[in-house]
């Protein structure tokens, strides 16, 4: 079948809107999904900096949502089901069997560096093969052929085109709070960076009754965090009485935060925040570090710990429905972070994201021809 997709051809090129061909039907355990919307995530854009590890040219996109059109054998999904797509995992390694699919032994291969060996390749109009499924999806397109394992059925009454970011960005921030930390009333949390992941963490913390401090250098992002219940704290300004970031966090969290979540990959902010944790406090890292993280003396004293968190430590089929129930109750208003764009405007959406004009762009493919 032929349809429209956004193709990234090289590390220094914009996306191009092209006709692509998928010469395959759903196999065992697979479903063909007509994409209703797809979130644009920083991970998609990081392919340009991957040094060739993520193969190009490719159709990216890993926060898709849509309608099942056809199914292979061995799946409980059916044509007409509405689904949110998340990351791929093998389902059989020890981590998958232990309900930790984000730590699947094949995670990098399946999601970042080539996909399943059996995955059908898309081709362009001159027959050039595009890279295999990105994150098991390649959802910057009108259609995606995916493993049913990473498709989560949702209620048909929900605004399907807005739900894709629940499969990665919002899942990551909310999962860190609700699953990794299991934070609740009486706990305190510092969120470093009020982007899509950070604001999802802020909203989840509000739903869980957690006292939250949001740290960012952009006033408009801090205003959003405050709207969702966080105490705003500028990252680049000292308090009037001369207190540094660590001291200001301790004041706002009654002597020290129990948890912190970093989305910035800033070693300076990470060290400052570690010092602001209470004894036995934990800081989770979700952003990839691009420079060495040199820990300063005393930052891990008194039982403090530092750990990486992938995909919110979530089982998508469990957490996505939980987040939707919170949204329906008015306690996780993720839709307020979203601005929609036609898929053809993907480069404008990327610029708006880079320049801080939008938190979470969602790309809407044109209706399929015929």
């Amino acid at each position: 079948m032929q349809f429209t997709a956004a193709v990234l051809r090289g590390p220094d090129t914009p996306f191009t809107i092209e006709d692509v061909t998928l010469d395959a039907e759903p196999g065992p355990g697979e479903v063909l999904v007509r994409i209703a919307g797809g979130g644009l995530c920083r991970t998609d854009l990081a392919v340009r900096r991957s040094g060739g590890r993520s193969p190009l040219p490719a159709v990216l996109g890993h926060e898709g949502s849509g309608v099942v059109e056809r199914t292979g054998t061995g799946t409980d999904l059916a044509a007409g089901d509405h689904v949110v797509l998340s990351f791929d995992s093998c389902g059989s390694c020890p981590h998958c069997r232990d309900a930790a699919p984000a730590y699947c032994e094949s995670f990098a291969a399946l999601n970042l560096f080539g996909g399943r060996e059996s995955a059908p390749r898309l081709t362009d109009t001159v027959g050039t093969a595009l890279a295999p499924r990105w994150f098991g999806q390649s959802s910057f397109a009108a259609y995606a052929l995916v493993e049913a394992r990473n498709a989560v059925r949702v209620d048909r009454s929900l605004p399907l085109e807005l739900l894709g970011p629940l499969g990665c960005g919002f899942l990551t921030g909310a999962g860190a709070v609700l699953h990794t930390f299991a934070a609740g009333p009486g706990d305190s949390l510092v969120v470093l960076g009020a982007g899509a992941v950070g604001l999802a963490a802020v909203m989840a913390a509000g739903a869980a009754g957690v006292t939250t401090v949001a740290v960012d250098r952009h006033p408009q992002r801090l205003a959003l965090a405050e709207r969702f219940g966080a105490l705003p704290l500028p990252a680049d300004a000292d308090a009037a009485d001369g207190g540094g970031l660590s001291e200001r966090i301790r004041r706002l969290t009654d002597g020290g935060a129990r948890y912190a979540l970093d989305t910035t990959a800033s070693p300076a902010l990470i060290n400052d925040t570690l010092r602001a944790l209470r004894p036995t406090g934990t800081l989770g890292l979700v952003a990839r570090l691009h420079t060495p993280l040199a820990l300063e003396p005393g930052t891990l004293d008194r039982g403090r710990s530092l750990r990486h968190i992938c995909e919110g430590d979530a089982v998508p089929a469990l957490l996505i429905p939980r987040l939707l129930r919170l949204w329906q109750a008015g306690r996780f208003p993720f839709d307020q972070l979203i601005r929609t764009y036609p898929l053809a405007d993907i480069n404008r959406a990327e610029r708006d994201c880079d320049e801080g004009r939008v938190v979470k762009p969602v790309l809407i493919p044109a209706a399929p021809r015929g």
Side-chain angles (χ1 to χ4, degrees):
M1 63 185 301
Q2 189 174 78
F3 50 88
T4 300
V7 179
L8 186 66
R9 292 202 164 270
D12 301 314
T13 66
F15 290 93
T16 56
I17 304 300
E18 305 180 24
D19 286 336
V20 300
T21 299
L22 176 65
D23 189 17
E25 288 293 316
E30 294 181 331
V31 294
L32 179 70
V33 176
R34 175 170 50 83
I35 298 297
L40 180 63
C41 177
R42 295 288 182 186
T43 302
D44 296 305
L45 305 179
V47 170
R48 292 194 176 98
R49 304 191 306 271
S50 72
R53 292 179 299 164
S54 294
L56 295 174
V59 177
L60 303 178
H62 67 286
E63 292 184 341
S65 58
V67 180
V68 174
E69 292 222 336
R70 294 195 290 278
T71 72
T73 59
T75 169
D76 63 354
L77 294 172
D81 282 344
H82 288 196
V83 292
V84 173
L85 307 179
S86 194
F87 57 89
D88 200 1
S89 55
C90 75
S92 59
C93 73
H95 305 295
C96 286
R97 295 197 304 270
D98 198 31
Y103 303 99
C104 173
E105 291 180 354
S106 300
F107 184 92
L110 293 176
N111 293 283
L112 300 170
F113 304 144
R116 296 174 183 263
E117 291 182 4
S118 60
R121 287 180 179 266
L122 296 168
T123 56
D124 64 16
T125 55
V126 297
T128 302
L130 307 176
R133 291 182 296 217
W134 172 249
F135 271 80
Q137 299 182 36
S138 291
S139 53
F140 289 163
Y143 289 91
L145 183 61
V146 307
E147 296 288 323
R149 176 176 174 78
N150 60 310
V152 179
R153 185 190 291 112
V154 297
D155 192 284
R156 297 188 189 188
S157 67
L158 299 171
L160 183 61
E161 70 281 2
L162 302 183
L163 303 187
L166 292 171
C168 184
F170 297 161
L171 179 96
T172 297
V177 174
L178 300 176
H179 188 64
T180 307
F181 299 150
D187 288 333
S188 52
L189 168 73
V190 180
V191 176
L192 303 176
V197 174
L199 288 170
V202 166
M203 288 187 288
V210 176
T211 298
T212 306
V213 177
V215 179
D216 203 291
R217 66 178 185 272
H218 298 293
Q220 67 272 25
R221 294 290 177 90
L222 287 177
L224 273 174
E226 187 173 20
R227 182 200 302 176
F228 299 134
L231 301 168
L233 185 57
D236 52 1
D238 287 337
D241 59 0
L245 181 63
S246 298
E247 179 59 31
R248 287 179 287 154
I249 290 173
R250 283 193 290 267
R251 290 175 191 158
L252 292 171
T253 57
D254 194 24
R258 181 171 187 180
Y259 302 111
L261 184 69
D262 176 67
T263 73
T264 69
S266 165
L269 286 179
I270 291 168
N271 274 285
D272 280 344
T273 304
L274 281 169
R275 282 192 291 267
L277 293 178
R278 75 178 199 180
T280 74
T282 298
L283 188 149
L285 304 172
V286 297
R288 180 177 294 275
L289 294 166
H290 297 289
T291 59
L293 176 59
L295 295 178
E296 297 172 5
T299 53
L300 292 182
D301 289 355
R302 307 189 72 195
R304 300 185 183 106
S305 61
L306 178 68
R307 60 155 298 180
H308 176 255
I309 301 171
C310 185
E311 299 287 357
D313 287 343
V315 176
L318 299 179
L319 185 55
I320 289 172
R322 181 180 180 185
L323 296 180
L324 286 170
R325 290 192 295 270
L326 287 172
W327 177 76
Q328 289 174 304
R331 299 170 63 198
F332 189 73
F334 67 88
D335 54 307
Q336 295 183 29
L337 304 181
I338 289 173
R339 181 188 300 173
T340 60
Y341 298 77
L343 179 61
D345 288 345
I346 185 171
N347 293 310
R348 178 167 65 90
E350 180 180 351
R351 288 193 300 272
D352 286 353
C353 188
D354 285 342
E355 294 168 8
R357 288 194 286 267
V358 60
V359 176
K360 174 56 69 174
V362 168
L363 304 161
I364 311 296
R369 297 187 293 272

